[in-house]
Each structure stands twice: as C-alpha cells, then as structure tokens.
Amino acid sequence: MSVNTDRYQTAAARYFEAWNATEPEALGKAVAEAWVPEGTYTDPLADVSGHAQITAVIWAAHEQFPGFVFRPLGAVDGHHDTARFGWELVNEADGSAPVAGFDVVTLSEDGRIRQVLGFLDRVPTGA
C-alpha cells in the first residue's frame, strides 16, 4: 500500500489548476500538465479522451458557470495509482456552491492523470 500522499496532492492540485484556468493558453497548458496525452475524463455529462476534448469540457463548464471556481472539499485520499477527492463549484461573488461531487483518478507513473471518473452529488435543476 502506497503512503506517498504528496503524489496524490500534486495530482489533485494540477487537476484543480486545470479546472480553474480561464484563459485558453493557460487552460491548454494546465490540462497537458495534469493529464497524459491519451488521458480520459468521464462523468454523467461527458465521456472524452485526449487533451483537446478534456480542454473543451472544462471550457464548457466555464461558459455555463461564469465567475465560478472549483474548490476541493476535504482531503485527497489515495493508494497505489488511485486517488479520490471531493470538490464543489463555488460562485466567487456570493460563495454559493450549487454543484458538488467527487472524482476518482488513476495516475500514470509520472503522476499525471490517466483516467478521471467523476460523480455529481449536487446539481442545480435544469443544469
């Protein structure tokens, strides 16, 4: 059983950096630093692979929720090549968090993400 918690913390930090990047160039760079080129992202609303498609999913989230940021909820937990963490989508203007969930990620040997399986725990009606 792995006890290298820095590896999981680093992967989660890169993941949140990608999800919070709002400029196209910064977003592309952050996705490349967080995911391997053939990495995947799957949640109830998306099932994509590769940097371009992952970038498009993140960009679409920013378009749907302008002025919101993704923040971690609780600690990152991990073992072997797998980590999990909770998150919420927070409105920077009023602090509300209409969307929350948790993700399970599989890491490559270099610490980048190979696969994300996302689960939505709280979603606004009509989203």
Side-chain angles (χ1 to χ4, degrees):
M1 185 167 176
S2 176
V3 294
N4 185 358
T5 58
D6 287 347
R7 182 173 187 231
Y8 311 121
Q9 295 288 344
T10 299
R14 287 181 184 157
Y15 179 82
F16 283 107
E17 184 176 332
W19 276 95
N20 287 320
T22 57
E23 297 298 322
E25 186 175 321
L27 175 55
K29 181 180 177 189
V31 166
E33 289 176 357
W35 272 270
V36 296
E38 67 281 2
T40 64
Y41 177 86
T42 304
D43 71 13
L45 306 173
D47 186 10
V48 299
S49 63
H51 291 170
Q53 291 181 0
I54 293 167
T55 298
V57 166
I58 294 171
W59 193 259
H62 286 290
E63 288 179 335
Q64 185 175 3
F65 295 97
F68 285 73
V69 295
F70 285 87
R71 295 207 178 128
L73 270 178
V76 177
D77 183 28
H79 61 81
H80 297 87
D81 290 332
T82 305
R84 68 178 177 165
F85 48 85
W87 54 266
E88 61 184 352
L89 186 60
V90 179
N91 182 325
E92 290 187 294
D94 65 14
S96 63
V99 183
F102 77 93
D103 293 344
V104 177
V105 301
T106 304
L107 303 177
S108 66
E109 286 189 22
D110 71 0
R112 290 188 294 165
I113 297 168
R114 284 187 313 185
Q115 178 185 47
V116 175
L117 298 174
F119 296 84
L120 301 174
D121 297 326
R122 181 173 61 237
V123 179
T125 304

